[in-house]
Amino acid sequence: MMSEDSFAFIIHPIDPQRDVSRKFPTLGKLPVWLIDFLSLFFPPVYISEIRGIQSQANGRFLHGWFIACPLTPKRMMTLPANIVYRKIIQSGRLAERLGAKILGLGAFTSVVGDAGITIARNLDLPVTTGDSYTIAVAVEAIEEAARLLNISLATATVAVVGASGTIGSVCTQLLAGRVAKLILIGRRQDKLEEVATKTKAIHDTDMAITAEMNQLTQANLVITVTSAIDTVIEPQHLRRGAIVCDVARPRDISLQVAQQRPDVLVIEGGMVAVPGEVDFGFNFGFPPGMAYACMAETMALALEQRYECFTLGKDIALSQVLTIDKIATKHGFQLGGFRSFERAITDTEIAQIKAHSQSSETIHHQAKVSSQQPVGSVPL
Ligand SMILES: NC(=O)c1ccc[n+]([C@@H]2O[C@H](COP(=O)([O-])OP(=O)(O)OC[C@H]3O[C@@H](n4cnc5c(N)ncnc54)[C@H](OP(=O)(O)O)[C@@H]3O)[C@@H](O)[C@H]2O)c1
């Protein structure tokens, strides 16, 4: 008899105090700088067993485990890549010992260095970053949100912030031909030009590239997916009635947008409803039954019994995105509704945002220049 289908998923603290408190309440009270420092010396942590995921296609059950790599985003992005790899590989070994048949990489564990390639090479189980399904869900979420606010995609200007990145570049390609204009925002012009050329080969959509965050004032819809440690989008960057899908973890969008822009809808990209009566055994901040899209990719591959390194590296093909979307839909994964700044958005709030976006009142916001704003600009 074949042994049970299984997976493991590596998480790590994103908001150091909040997330460390979820497992170790006393440690979570330490100052952030000390958590950052100590995170290098902590071993991988067994978090929980996950049960109850059930395929809607064939009724098969799946179980898994959460494992925490202790490094914080700051540590992940500032330590030499080989030190970070070592810690993630140690976490992967724990997954192997538990009996996982595939390993998913959460948040910055999939961003660092070569995006999973070295990690997979050093482990005996297949590894996937989850980025392919994250792309599919981000684009679906912005489309659904646009529908809710009566914004027609075909006439919309859509900006992708972090368009030079792994996820941003393929989101751009997926949007080509479906929207009126694309604005690609990033810091490296050469990389943005590369993405623009690739995208134009798919569809000759009107396109502009820029390093200026202020160009966001043209966009009706925004997908933001940078690997910045601090926020990059402030209230003054956004057009009246804009919708922003923030896929980045930690968030790209400043809390001030929620406070100062009642006309703007911000949604967290990547929340997916998991099929079955799933018990994660751990509260990672989502409502019951919901997972990040990158977690869902790992689960969907296990339910499909495709124990392979499905998404690895910084170059993702559009075909991979379409394939995982099909597999996930087949097993019953679907867009999990909308959240904004860690809480569910109600219909009343949507109606209020709609009213504010259509009213002629002046929107007041205090200009604050983010410390992580991109520099340099390419004329449009
Ligand atoms: N929600 C989910 O399920 C999910 C799943 C996977 C990943 N993620 C998140 O997605 C994000 C991106 O992942 P990725 O794999 O695409 O990363 P990536 O390949 O490293 O790309 C990141 C992009 O962000 C840009 N960037 C970094 N710092 C910036 C700044 N200060 N200002 C403007 N742009 C900046 C980079 O530009 P340069 O090239 O100029 O540095 C690059 O284009 C991460 O936050 C990750 O945690 C979320």
Side-chain angles (χ1 to χ4, degrees):
M1 194 184 88
M2 199 180 162
S3 61
E4 200 181 359
D5 289 311
S6 64
F7 73 100
F9 192 83
I10 301 183
I11 55 177
H12 72 94
I14 290 177
D15 175 328
Q17 285 180 317
R18 182 200 64 193
D19 295 342
V20 169
S21 300
R22 293 186 199 278
K23 187 74 182 174
F24 304 108
T26 313
L27 271 181
K29 293 197 176 88
L30 296 175
V32 174
W33 67 265
L34 190 53
I35 298 177
D36 269 335
F37 175 76
L38 291 175
S39 73
L40 177 60
F41 306 101
F42 254 73
V45 180
Y46 173 93
I47 296 288
S48 65
E49 186 167 8
I50 304 163
R51 292 219 160 259
I53 300 166
Q54 187 178 21
S55 165
Q56 281 178 7
N58 52 31
R60 264 204 308 267
F61 282 95
L62 171 68
H63 92 280
W65 299 271
F66 278 136
I67 293 164
C69 171
L71 297 176
T72 59
K74 194 165 177 194
R75 285 300 228 175
M76 295 249 186
M77 299 313 271
T78 51
L79 284 167
N82 59 336
I83 294 181
V84 180
Y85 288 154
R86 209 177 305 147
K87 199 65 108 181
I88 302 170
I89 291 163
Q90 281 172 8
S91 311
R93 297 237 166 88
L94 176 52
E96 287 174 348
R97 289 198 294 279
L98 288 166
K101 292 182 174 173
I102 187 166
L103 177 68
L105 301 178
F108 276 38
T109 66
S110 70
V111 174
V112 71
D114 57 16
I117 293 173
T118 303
I119 294 161
R121 242 183 238 141
N122 283 277
L123 287 170
D124 293 326
L125 82 178
V127 175
T128 195
T129 60
D131 286 353
S132 299
Y133 194 45
T134 297
I135 293 162
V137 171
V139 172
E140 193 186 337
I142 198 90
E143 285 181 344
E144 179 61 17
R147 199 187 54 74
L148 268 184
L149 290 195
N150 303 329
I151 296 178
S152 148
L153 226 55
T155 56
T157 295
V158 184
V160 180
V161 183
S164 53
T166 313
I167 296 173
S169 58
V170 188
C171 283
T172 307
Q173 292 169 42
L174 204 52
L175 287 163
R178 303 193 200 184
V179 303
K181 181 176 178 180
L182 280 166
I183 304 177
L184 282 52
I185 302 186
R187 299 178 300 183
R188 289 173 298 164
Q189 194 196 338
D190 55 337
K191 185 69 190 161
L192 286 179
E193 274 167 6
E194 226 175 83
V195 175
T197 307
K198 230 175 181 175
T199 308
K200 279 216 184 274
I202 294 165
H203 192 279
D204 193 16
T205 307
D206 185 9
M207 220 175 297
I209 62 172
T210 181
E212 289 296 321
M213 208 57 93
N214 290 338
Q215 298 298 327
L216 275 184
T217 50
Q218 293 185 40
N220 309 95
L221 309 174
V222 180
I223 291 183
T224 184
V225 62
T226 80
S227 54
I229 295 169
D230 293 326
T231 55
V232 295
I233 302 178
E234 302 294 339
Q236 73 275 13
H237 293 139
L238 296 165
R239 175 182 178 141
R240 181 186 283 272
I243 300 175
V244 184
C245 176
D246 192 347
V247 184
R249 291 292 169 275
R251 263 198 326 257
D252 277 347
I253 190 125
S254 136
L255 198 54
Q256 287 180 305
V257 172
Q259 292 157 351
Q260 297 177 22
R261 296 296 304 266
D263 59 312
V264 166
L265 173 62
V266 177
I267 56 171
E268 286 169 12
M271 190 169 77
V272 171
V274 174
E277 306 268 314
V278 57
D279 176 3
F280 290 110
F282 176 65
N283 173 13
F284 54 93
F286 268 11
M290 299 290 168
Y292 282 105
C294 49
M295 295 173 180
E297 172 170 319
T298 318
M299 296 167 193
L301 288 169
L303 283 174
E304 187 71 3
Q305 300 186 321
R306 276 184 75 155
Y307 292 114
E308 61 186 77
C309 290
F310 187 83
T311 316
L312 279 186
K314 300 254 171 199
D315 283 315
I316 298 173
L318 208 46
S319 58
Q320 280 170 269
V321 176
L322 304 178
T323 301
I324 192 67
D325 194 25
K326 216 183 254 170
I327 293 173
T329 305
K330 168 181 150 190
H331 290 288
F333 295 88
Q334 53 179 302
L335 192 64
F338 295 132
R339 275 162 61 91
S340 192
F341 297 97
E342 274 106 48
R343 53 175 203 86
I345 305 170
T346 62
D347 291 345
T348 314
E349 283 165 325
I350 297 274
Q352 283 166 348
I353 291 169
K354 233 186 220 175
H356 279 292
S357 69
Q358 285 157 5
S359 94
S360 55
E361 82 201 63
T362 309
I363 304 287
H364 294 286
H365 54 73
Q366 290 147 7
K368 173 186 166 244
V369 178
S370 164
S371 57
Q372 296 237 355
Q373 218 167 330
V375 288
S377 102
V378 179
L380 288 175

